Amino acid sequence: MTDPVPFAAAFVDGPEGQRFRLPVRIYYEDTDAGGIVYHANYLRYAERARSEMLRAMGYGQAALRDEHGVAFAVRGCTIDYIAPARLDDLLWVETRLLSVGGATIEAEQCVEREGTLLVRLHIRLACLGKGLRPARLPKTLHQALQALVHPTSAIFLVTLLAS
């Protein structure tokens, strides 16, 4: 018997501040013929985790679009593939905010299996408004996101960009 899919997406505290954790089960559709997760699917898992994090904060993507006239686009992404995930694995996607600007968000997302790091993503998001032009984050969302940024994140970000 295998463990059921947990529905325990939640914010958790850690030494680097708050992170959002989302469980992801690997199905046949996620894998190649050898049962290994196709590399592009990690981008999907990361997107789901960011969307669920916003939803948990009370900011669904549709509401942001309809009520505030904004949406997010990935401006840049760096991915380190460390180890493969396989069919039936239960993965956790952790999202940690590194910085929040007026119209940008930087985040680190890690995909883990039983505490083992499989994939690390560094994501730069742009907030877009009417005509898909850069737009400022809604004030209440900016404040809520900023509260999740740990003070040491700026040091991590400078080190990452310098490497």
Side-chain angles (χ1 to χ4, degrees), residues 3-143:
D3 54 334
V5 174
F7 293 100
F11 284 97
V12 295
D13 290 318
E16 294 93 24
Q18 275 200 323
R19 302 175 322 272
F20 184 78
R21 289 176 45 94
L22 178 74
V24 174
R25 174 74 68 195
I26 302 304
Y27 299 103
Y28 280 115
E29 67 189 28
D30 299 315
T31 66
D32 60 18
I36 305 286
V37 171
Y38 181 66
H39 70 280
N41 285 335
Y42 293 103
L43 291 169
R44 294 173 194 226
Y45 307 150
E47 178 75 31
R48 288 179 203 163
R50 293 191 308 274
S51 292
E52 291 302 327
M53 180 183 79
L54 285 171
R55 186 183 321 279
M57 296 172 69
Y59 295 94
Q61 297 276 16
L64 283 170
R65 181 195 62 221
D66 297 342
E67 297 169 21
H68 298 280
V70 298
F72 293 103
V74 174
R75 168 107 169 56
C77 178
T78 304
I79 305 174
D80 291 321
Y81 297 99
I82 299 160
R86 298 180 181 345
L87 179 65
D88 263 352
D89 280 352
L90 177 60
L91 307 181
W92 289 90
V93 183
E94 288 194 353
T95 303
R96 179 170 68 105
L97 298 184
L98 302 175
S99 69
V100 178
T104 60
I105 300 169
E106 300 240 4
E108 177 188 55
Q109 293 186 275
C110 295
V111 181
E112 300 176 348
R113 178 187 56 232
E114 297 178 1
T116 299
L117 180 63
L118 304 179
V119 176
R120 179 182 293 119
L121 302 93
H122 178 258
I123 302 281
R124 288 185 311 268
L125 300 169
C127 183
L128 302 177
K130 195 172 192 172
L132 299 178
R133 300 181 74 86
R136 297 190 70 75
L137 289 160
K139 186 176 180 179
T140 57
L141 176 59
H142 183 275
Q143 291 170 338

